Amino acid sequence: MVEKTEMKFNPEEVIEEFEALTKEAGKVQEETLKKILKENGGTVYLQQWGLNGRTDAESFTACVPLVTHKDLEPYIQRIADGDPSPVLTGKPITTISLSSGTTQGRPKFVPFNDELMESTLQIYKTSFAFRNREFPIGNGKALQFIYSSKQFKTKGGLAAGTATTNVYRNAQFKKTMKAMQTPCCSPDEVIFGPDFHQSLYCHLLCGLIFRDEVQVISSTFAHSIVQAFRTFEQVWEELVADIREGVLSSRITVPSTRSAMSKLLKPDPEQADIIFRKCSGLSNWYGLIPVLFPNAKYIYGIMTGSMEPYLKKLRHYAGELPLQSADYGSSEGWIGANVNPKLPPEQVTYTVLPNIGYFEFIPLRGDLDGLEPTPVSLAEVKLGEEYEIVVTNFAGLYRYRLGDVVKIKGFHNATPELQFICRRNLLLSINIDKNTEKDLQLAVEAAAKLLVDEKSEVVDFTSHVNVAADPGHYVVFWELCGEASDETLQECCNCLDKSFVDAGYLGSRKANAIGALELRVVKRGTFHKILDHFVGLGGAVSQFKTPRCVGPNNSTLLQILCNDVVKSYFSTAFC
């Protein structure tokens, strides 16, 4: 009986429940906090703050301090090492999630439990229900570029893997995807295959085998979708040959992957001819995705923040197919769902689900005395203001600073609609200059326009602050597709330098307190090496985000970049 209930999915019921929750958002938040504190009040962590059984928001915020991951690390380590006592949660934590680790150079341990899985499914169902109203899909399949990382056991015997791996391995996830009529067209042996390059090839092949049934193309991040179709450009004729002959390419050497794919692959010369003809007829691969998958309704994945630079290329492959930005969360847990699917990724908002955690918001306008403002509750946020999010969830995070800056763009009933702005921590800073990931992205976009006439484009980019030089200066690394002249690249370098409009940067450049910006062009494939390095450390490709600033702790990445530099230019913009 339970099985039948789980398999049923009624979008209108999901929307009805969401509407009820969001109408009473303030009250639901109070009840959610009360539930979290009742379940976990006896933990080692909460006991020390003198709550003494109180579960109201006033007592909670007065007693329990704001924290970062560094503050909770010793407690999480105790759990990972096998401490049986209720360290952070009343019920034992059985799984550890790993953050991407692309920013700091090493992944963070984050507790994962059944409640987090439930909130994951609630987010998926909610956004799907709204999306399906606008872009309805029938019974079909999803071409999902998803990859699992290896799970390992911690010292205390807990399973540890990336958050995406923990989700993909969960039986409920598969049941939910099936109920929402979008099962993955790739078998588990491909998703969980040990070799990313082989899995990617097989994902593409599965997509082609089921091309008429594919209704959704998705991945966790936009980067993975772009990367998949860049790969398709290189291997498409080999894929067509596989379909024509019904024999899998010799590049697939993993026995389990080969066996699973061989069961799917049958000789189909007619389909091979169609695909060959369609690919041959494309101009520079524009509109590749709808040509390959004629019944696809949209492309889905996280497209905000560090994923925005890939939108131009993704739109090139997508043609007229809508891009749908996926929901808002992190390795630490979920925050909101995209319930306005008609908005383009650059304008997307996320509506906070008030029952999946307790949320506070630190206003970004500092007080006159220089002290950080007091966090406000979800019911107290104001339209148009920017905040840093603070999360308290069911998996042992209490008043946890997520480090994300969001803007309140509106309200859905009584719950706020957030727009992701940037990570709060500064990317580029030498003295009084303050430039964020968004500032860097805008500078790169402005400079990249100069490459259009030479039919070149920026494949990927990152940055570094070189403080070993005197004065220190910004270094921007570009990987290019196509050739560009030295003259154009020098112009690009000058444009990058001038595009940082932060007053501290401009003043410091003019006074030569910050040196000339340096543009370093790296070999084709350099950013692929960075991805391979990340995967080699146990990361999942699904969770990979190119670090937009390589700090001093990330010496291996810096070495990969520096070793692959082929050209270097210094700005003359302020000479």
Side-chain angles (χ1 to χ4, degrees):
M1 195 66 204
V2 176
E3 186 78 14
K4 283 181 183 172
T5 310
E6 285 169 353
M7 294 302 288
K8 231 175 163 186
F9 179 75
N10 185 329
E12 291 309 313
E13 265 180 30
V14 172
I15 290 173
E16 206 176 297
E17 184 188 338
F18 173 79
E19 296 293 350
L21 282 170
T22 55
K23 278 174 187 165
E24 300 281 346
K27 188 181 170 192
V28 172
Q29 276 283 276
E30 288 173 18
E31 289 168 356
T32 302
L33 179 63
K34 189 175 182 179
K35 190 178 174 188
I36 291 170
L37 295 179
K38 269 194 167 179
E39 284 181 14
N40 304 301
T43 57
V44 173
Y45 182 77
L46 286 178
Q47 285 278 9
Q48 68 187 310
W49 303 117
L51 272 171
N52 299 323
R54 288 173 291 174
T55 57
D56 61 289
E58 292 76 17
S59 302
F60 176 65
T61 55
C63 296
V64 179
L66 293 167
V67 295
T68 63
H69 187 271
K70 195 177 175 184
D71 300 305
L72 293 182
E73 210 163 9
Y75 299 92
I76 298 170
Q77 197 59 55
R78 278 174 63 177
I79 295 167
D81 289 345
D83 189 333
S85 57
V87 181
L88 287 171
T89 54
K91 290 185 213 160
I93 293 286
T94 54
T95 313
I96 293 288
S97 282
L98 305 173
S99 71
S100 66
T102 45
T103 305
Q104 302 300 327
R106 65 183 183 90
K108 297 180 294 193
F109 277 16
V110 181
F112 185 89
N113 61 7
D114 290 344
E115 283 86 353
L116 274 194
M117 192 63 221
E118 278 173 34
S119 62
T120 300
L121 296 178
Q122 188 188 344
I123 289 269
Y124 282 9
K125 287 176 186 174
T126 303
S127 61
F128 179 81
F130 280 93
R131 202 161 61 248
N132 215 43
R133 268 184 172 179
E134 303 294 342
F135 305 96
I137 59 174
N139 254 324
K141 293 184 184 292
L143 170 53
Q144 293 180 291
F145 294 102
I146 54 178
Y147 311 89
S148 170
S149 68
K150 296 184 188 82
Q151 279 188 317
F152 64 90
K153 294 285 186 189
T154 67
K155 186 179 167 185
L158 273 64
T162 58
T164 47
T165 299
N166 291 333
V167 170
Y168 300 151
R169 285 190 179 276
N170 191 284
Q172 279 299 107
F173 172 75
K174 279 188 192 171
K175 287 177 186 172
T176 302
M177 295 310 287
K178 194 173 178 185
M180 294 194 301
Q181 302 177 325
T182 48
C184 183
C185 60
S186 302
D188 280 358
E189 291 83 354
V190 170
I191 297 168
F192 298 105
D195 184 298
F196 151 65
H197 300 285
Q198 293 186 36
S199 289
L200 170 51
Y201 184 90
C202 291
H203 277 315
L204 289 167
L205 186 55
C206 288
L208 295 180
I209 290 168
F210 297 107
R211 62 185 290 264
D212 291 327
E213 294 176 59
V214 170
Q215 299 195 58
V216 179
I217 289 90
S218 72
S219 189
T220 309
F221 292 121
H223 167 266
S224 294
I225 304 172
V226 169
Q227 179 194 38
F229 289 102
R230 280 192 190 277
T231 302
F232 182 87
E233 288 185 39
Q234 311 300 319
V235 301
W236 73 278
E237 289 177 284
E238 196 175 334
L239 289 161
V240 168
D242 289 0
I243 289 170
R244 187 182 304 284
E245 305 297 331
V247 178
L248 189 60
S249 164
S250 60
R251 70 166 67 217
I252 309 304
T253 57
V254 175
S256 57
T257 308
R258 215 179 155 81
S259 170
M261 288 304 299
S262 297
K263 287 173 189 169
L264 292 177
L265 197 56
K266 302 286 182 286
D268 194 343
E270 189 184 339
Q271 190 70 269
D273 286 343
I274 292 169
I275 297 166
F276 188 89
R277 206 163 48 243
K278 286 184 178 294
C279 289
S280 301
L282 288 171
S283 171
N284 196 25
W285 301 101
Y286 176 80
L288 169 63
I289 295 174
V291 159
L292 289 179
F293 310 105
N295 296 311
K297 300 292 196 298
Y298 53 83
I299 297 166
Y300 182 70
I302 293 169
M303 298 179 188
T304 49
S306 60
M307 293 300 122
E308 269 191 49
Y310 305 108
L311 288 179
K312 185 183 173 189
K313 192 66 178 178
L314 189 54
R315 283 198 171 100
H316 180 81
Y317 288 133
E320 299 300 309
L321 212 55
L323 302 186
Q324 297 285 312
S325 194
D327 310 297
Y328 176 29
S330 64
S331 302
E332 289 86 353
W334 290 99
I335 291 133
N338 176 5
V339 300
N340 299 302
K342 281 193 168 177
L343 289 175
E346 292 87 348
Q347 294 168 29
V348 74
T349 59
Y350 303 101
T351 306
V352 179
L353 268 67
N355 68 325
I356 61 173
Y358 182 73
F359 302 101
E360 298 171 74
F361 299 82
I362 302 173
L364 285 199
R365 292 182 305 173
D367 291 342
L368 291 175
D369 56 7
L371 294 173
E372 189 168 65
T374 305
V376 298
S377 71
L378 180 138
E380 296 171 305
V381 295
K382 292 177 180 166
L383 188 66
E385 295 290 320
E386 290 188 359
Y387 299 89
E388 180 191 346
I389 299 185
V390 177
V391 176
T392 296
N393 69 13
F394 287 92
L397 303 184
Y398 307 98
R399 306 199 78 202
Y400 182 95
R401 298 180 72 148
L402 209 54
D404 287 357
V405 175
V406 296
K407 188 173 190 172
I408 309 300
K409 295 293 283 186
F411 292 88
H412 187 104
N413 296 322
T415 196
E417 294 176 332
L418 316 174
Q419 183 179 45
F420 179 85
I421 301 297
C422 63
R423 296 284 295 159
R424 185 164 187 177
N425 54 326
L426 299 174
L427 273 178
L428 296 165
S429 182
I430 291 172
N431 45 50
I432 59 168
D433 51 311
K434 296 179 178 180
N435 283 300
T436 65
E437 182 173 312
K438 189 71 177 174
D439 297 321
L440 173 64
Q441 183 190 317
L442 292 171
V444 169
E445 282 174 6
K449 286 175 184 171
L450 300 170
L451 297 168
V452 175
D453 289 344
E454 302 209 17
K455 293 190 168 52
S456 182
E457 64 178 339
V458 177
V459 172
D460 220 331
F461 67 92
T462 189
S463 63
H464 171 64
V465 172
N466 184 351
V467 287
D470 187 23
H473 66 274
Y474 292 3
V475 179
V476 178
F477 294 92
W478 275 8
E479 182 180 320
L480 300 177
C481 173
E483 295 298 318
S485 67
D486 287 338
E487 187 184 357
T488 300
L489 288 168
Q490 183 61 57
E491 279 183 57
C492 290
C493 183
N494 291 354
C495 182
L496 280 168
D497 207 3
K498 287 186 291 185
S499 296
F500 287 105
V501 293
D502 167 64
Y505 184 76
L506 289 171
S508 298
R509 279 292 285 118
K510 286 170 184 171
N512 203 34
I514 293 178
L517 180 140
E518 184 182 0
L519 172 61
R520 297 183 190 175
V521 179
V522 296
K523 292 175 192 169
R524 284 300 303 272
T526 299
F527 281 84
H528 215 296
K529 285 185 190 174
I530 290 172
L531 170 61
D532 286 341
H533 168 70
F534 166 76
V535 172
L537 294 175
V541 177
S542 309
Q543 211 161 332
F544 177 74
K545 289 180 281 191
T546 297
R548 294 300 174 210
C549 183
V550 180
N553 296 335
N554 234 336
S555 57
T556 309
L557 253 60
L558 196 56
Q559 197 173 358
I560 291 170
L561 289 161
C562 292
N563 288 348
D564 276 8
V565 173
V566 288
K567 289 180 180 177
S568 186
Y569 305 86
F570 281 92
S571 167
T572 55
F574 291 87
C575 290

